[in-house]
């Protein structure tokens, strides 16, 4: 069931969160539909970077307790692609919310989304929830290319060893990030995401 897990999309969301300095956890929902080994491999990749990763299913109730407990006493923004199950999970945690569960096909066909506002809702216990309406894709905006590396958390500790302090980790000689990718200290998938976003950032700056 759509949308399939897409690490490129996830990485764009993560860049946006990191650039906004928001404490970010990752929820991979619909594990009932996925192959366990593949889910685990992705979860491990992001855990290694330092993210907390929740594996859940709103259908068979996998992982719900752990995620539910983690929401307590915080302001929680549920953000991500349309159709991944944000409203479904929130309805299970807080039945009174009675959030509308989306028909993803409507969204995809019309290219518009059903809800267009987000409100912060108090759910007791010093806990707040913000459900967000559908987005299909995001493009990190307003990020300078020399800053992008900082929003890939695991690049940070290597970047200071790049030969040039203006290094964009793209082609520059003496780049410690590229070196870390070659040594498998940074995942090739994440570096590929970085290059793709770098490309869109450069285009933004050109007009
Ligand atoms: N198989 C499966 N379907 C789910 C799960 N969570 C939500 N869905 C379905 O996915 C669709 C979109 O869910 P919704 O909560 O509206 O997603 P949102 O756009 O992220 O709020 C609905 O048809 C849900 O019933 C899940 O864990 N497993
Ligand atoms: Mg929703
Ligand atoms: Zn570099």
């Amino acid at each position: 069931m759509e949308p399939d897990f897409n690490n490129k999309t996830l990485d764009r969301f993560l860049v946006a969160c990191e650039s906004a300095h928001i404490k970010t956890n990752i929820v991979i929902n619909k594990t009932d539909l996925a192959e366990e080994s593949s889910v685990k491999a992705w979860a491990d990749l992001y855990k290694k970077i330092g993210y907390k990763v929740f594996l859940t299913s709103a259908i068979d109730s996998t992982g719900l307790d752990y995620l539910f407990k983690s929401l307590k006493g915080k302001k929680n923004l549920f953000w991500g692609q349309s159709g991944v199950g944000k409203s479904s999970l929130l309805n299970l945690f807080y039945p009174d919310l009675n959030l509308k569960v989306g028909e993803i096909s409507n969204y995809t066909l019309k290219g518009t989304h059903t809800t267009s506002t987000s409100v912060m809702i108090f759910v007791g216990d010093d806990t707040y929830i913000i459900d967000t309406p559908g987005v299909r894709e995001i493009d990190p905006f307003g990020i300078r290319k020399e800053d992008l590396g900082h929003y890939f958390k695991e690049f940070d500790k290597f970047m200071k060893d790049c030969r040039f302090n203006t290094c964009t980790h793209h082609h520059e000689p003496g780049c410690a990030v590229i070196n870390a990718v070659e040594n498998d200290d940074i995942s090739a998938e994440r570096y590929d995401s970085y290059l793709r976003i770098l490309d869109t950032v450069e285009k933004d700056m050109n007009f």
Side-chain angles (χ1 to χ4, degrees):
M1 198 189 291
E2 284 192 61
D4 279 339
F5 178 79
N6 183 323
N7 62 303
K8 299 296 173 223
T9 303
L10 173 58
D11 289 338
R12 279 195 291 274
F13 277 102
L14 290 176
V15 165
C17 293
E18 294 298 340
S19 69
H21 305 289
I22 293 170
K23 169 142 176 35
T24 307
N25 300 322
I26 298 169
V27 180
I28 303 178
N29 187 42
K30 303 196 186 182
T31 54
D32 56 294
L33 299 175
E35 205 183 300
E36 208 179 316
S37 58
S38 142
V39 173
K40 191 178 174 302
W42 285 117
D44 286 350
L45 191 161
Y46 288 96
K47 281 181 195 167
K48 202 177 149 208
I49 293 167
Y51 289 104
K52 198 178 261 190
V53 182
F54 297 89
L55 301 179
T56 61
S57 166
I59 297 291
D60 68 18
S61 300
T62 301
L64 297 188
D65 276 6
Y66 185 43
L67 176 58
F68 181 57
K69 278 181 197 139
S70 81
L71 305 177
K72 289 242 166 79
K74 301 183 190 111
K75 295 190 177 78
N76 304 282
L77 173 74
F78 274 60
W79 196 41
Q81 261 184 308
S82 180
V84 294
K86 299 179 293 296
S87 302
S88 301
L89 288 170
L90 287 169
N91 280 340
L92 289 172
F93 297 153
Y94 313 104
D96 290 351
L97 292 183
N98 209 3
L99 299 167
K100 197 169 167 198
V101 167
E103 292 290 311
I104 184 149
S105 57
N106 287 350
Y107 167 80
T108 320
L109 291 175
K110 291 185 203 150
T112 55
H113 39 73
T114 41
T115 335
S116 56
T117 51
S118 303
V119 285
M120 184 155 78
I121 306 166
F122 177 64
V123 290
D125 272 348
D126 204 23
T127 306
Y128 298 82
I129 294 296
I130 308 167
D131 187 23
T132 59
V135 273
R136 187 168 56 187
E137 282 291 318
I138 55 147
D139 257 330
F141 188 75
I143 291 173
R144 294 180 308 171
K145 62 179 177 173
E146 60 268 37
D147 290 339
L148 182 60
H150 292 290
Y151 307 138
F152 281 74
K153 288 209 303 196
E154 74 276 37
F155 290 15
D156 226 51
K157 69 172 185 227
F158 298 103
M159 281 164 49
K160 60 181 187 313
D161 296 325
C162 293
R163 185 176 307 161
F164 304 109
N165 61 12
T166 54
C167 190
T168 63
H169 326 300
H170 177 264
H171 60 276
E172 293 89 340
C175 173
V177 169
I178 295 174
N179 191 47
V181 175
E182 281 161 3
N183 292 333
D184 266 343
D185 292 324
I186 288 175
S187 111
E189 277 292 342
R190 285 276 288 173
Y191 182 60
D192 185 57
S193 288
Y194 171 82
L195 290 180
R196 289 182 194 217
I197 298 173
L198 186 69
D199 192 46
T200 67
V201 168
E202 283 174 342
K203 279 184 201 134
D204 282 348
M205 300 307 237
N206 277 344
F207 61 79

